[in-house]
Amino acid sequence: MATDMRARLDHAPLIGRRGLLLGGAALLAAAALPGGPRAAELDEGWLATAGVGEGFAAVGLDTSFAATPEAPSDARLHGIEASPVGPLAVAVGRRPGRIALVFDRRKGGVVARFGPGEGRVFSGHGRFTADGRLLLTNEIEHPADGVRAMGRGVVAVRAVDGGFAIHDEWPSGGDGPHDLMRSGAALVIANGGIEPNTPEARDAEVTGSGVTLVDPTTGAVRGEGKLSADLASLSLRHLARDGNGGTVVAAQDLLKDGEARPLLFRIAADGALTPFDAPDEAWRALRGYVGSVAYDPSGRFVACATPRGNQVAVWQADGRYIGAVPLTDGCGLAAGAEAGMFVAASGYGEVIVVKAAPEGVAITARRTGGPRYDNHMVRIG
């Protein structure tokens, strides 16, 4: 597939800063989601969460983007994470989640389930440590009666060999933690504060959001990042890293006032936040909502997916806006197989390959007929 993709890209149109996709996207044959057992082990491809039939599941996508259910679930799943050292992967329930599924990504099948700590809910994300021995989950305490907040955040440190039991806990550094990710020397935590489109958000204009950088072994705070007063309506939610210490965080907006606010920020080593650049119309096109963010394999490009704006937008890693391609109800997003490439998926069962270059961005391949892809996907292999 890689050779064919390079050949298509030689002739694929690139979309400039303000252009729209005019055509030329390659169409791969549509295929129904297989329902039977896996025919071969999935050592390379992507993992995603999705709606399947009347329920939900973690699914695996091979290099042709054929999808196979890996772990069925009655509850909606959100973030998905593969162990760096073995076949295990974990899908965490969407906030307010009460279940996380552990499954074998090579053979398929649920091998364990676990819940949040007492008096808490999952916020949708968990991350393995580099040695695969621990899983860290962001969890939210139930606020006191009458308190309009998302609840204080806790990072639960779980032992994989101990059945994912909690053996340590750290404060997340804020309310409503959503994503967390090891990047460079720090564990970066996105504390979303009041989450848009929740009962707590009604009539609210300030989220109380921020990022906290903590020591990845002790939880001691090493840095913090706050938004300026004119961006106080933003909830910082999803993280991505380039593998060399570069980290970005994407936001969602409490307000629906049509103002053009940046929704993507670079995180400095001390936690300071610097907004990416884009024309006002490009920020407005995201409709105040970024559902997923990813670096390409080279670390030169960053992409955001917005199911409300129905597009995937791309920047250079230095913050320069490149352009966007359409994807209706698209949210799942991950690095592609080659430099400059991303893979994105939609709630209508569509998967696209997006190619970025300094001159612009284009769709170079497409497959339809998959499950109802949900918020997140991750590359493996």
Side-chain angles (χ1 to χ4, degrees):
M1 179 179 173
T3 301
D4 291 343
M5 192 175 298
R6 280 194 293 268
R8 285 196 295 270
L9 184 59
D10 289 341
H11 305 286
L14 289 174
I15 311 304
R17 288 174 178 262
R18 305 179 187 219
L20 295 174
L21 184 69
L22 298 177
L27 180 66
L28 301 182
L33 180 71
R38 174 175 300 287
E41 290 188 356
L42 182 65
D43 290 316
E44 183 180 3
W46 293 264
L47 297 174
T49 54
V52 177
E54 297 300 315
F56 306 94
V59 299
L61 292 82
D62 63 21
T63 54
S64 69
F65 307 120
T68 301
E70 300 279 355
S73 173
D74 292 332
R76 188 177 177 185
L77 303 172
H78 191 70
I80 192 162
E81 173 86 343
S83 170
V85 298
L88 294 184
V90 175
V92 182
R94 181 181 179 91
R95 191 209 69 83
R98 301 187 184 279
I99 191 71
L101 301 182
V102 185
F103 63 96
D104 187 320
R105 65 175 175 82
R106 291 177 179 159
K107 298 179 181 179
V110 176
V111 298
R113 291 177 170 86
F114 61 89
E118 186 176 355
R120 304 198 295 256
V121 295
F122 287 129
S123 64
H125 289 277
R127 304 287 183 180
F128 284 97
T129 54
D131 59 10
R133 295 174 57 196
L134 303 173
L135 180 79
L136 311 182
T137 54
N138 263 348
E139 303 181 15
I140 303 174
E141 296 177 346
H142 290 300
D145 291 342
V147 175
R148 288 189 58 193
M150 296 304 293
R152 300 296 295 174
V154 175
V155 177
V157 182
R158 299 172 176 273
V160 173
D161 288 344
F164 294 87
I166 298 172
H167 79 88
D168 202 358
E169 295 182 349
W170 310 325
S172 76
D175 290 346
H178 192 69
D179 204 355
L180 74 169
M181 179 176 286
R182 173 73 182 265
S183 185
L187 176 70
V188 184
I189 305 167
N191 290 295
I194 294 178
E195 181 178 333
N197 307 298
T198 60
E200 295 85 354
R202 187 172 302 165
D203 300 323
E205 297 184 355
V206 175
T207 64
S209 183
V211 297
T212 305
L213 279 58
V214 305
D215 185 293
T217 59
T218 67
V221 175
R222 301 301 187 207
E224 294 180 312
K226 298 293 184 182
L227 295 167
S228 56
D230 59 325
L231 300 177
S233 64
L234 300 185
S235 173
L236 299 172
R237 306 195 63 72
H238 291 111
L239 298 161
R241 64 188 176 199
D242 65 4
N244 295 307
T247 319
V248 294
V249 61
Q252 298 170 12
D253 200 344
L254 274 179
L255 301 180
K256 299 176 176 63
D257 56 4
E259 289 293 318
R261 297 183 179 90
L263 298 180
L264 182 63
F265 299 83
R266 185 182 302 105
I267 304 174
D270 63 356
L273 300 168
T274 302
F276 275 43
D277 183 44
D280 284 354
E281 59 265 32
W283 290 125
R284 290 192 185 98
L286 301 181
R287 301 286 300 277
Y289 188 100
V290 172
S292 223
V293 61
Y295 276 94
D296 81 301
S298 74
R300 293 178 57 206
F301 302 97
V302 179
C304 289
T306 168
R308 294 188 183 170
N310 298 307
Q311 64 174 243
V312 177
V314 183
W315 285 257
Q316 287 188 167
D318 63 7
R320 184 179 75 87
Y321 180 70
I322 297 175
V325 296
L327 182 62
T328 302
D329 195 31
C331 196
L333 180 68
E338 299 179 10
M341 288 187 178
F342 299 91
V343 174
S346 85
Y348 289 95
E350 185 173 23
V351 179
I352 62 172
V353 176
V354 179
K355 174 64 177 180
E359 302 80 30
V361 56
I363 297 173
T364 61
R366 187 189 308 269
R367 181 170 186 143
T368 58
R372 305 182 305 278
Y373 293 106
D374 215 321
N375 291 69
H376 294 291
M377 65 191 313
V378 63
R379 184 185 171 202
I380 56 174

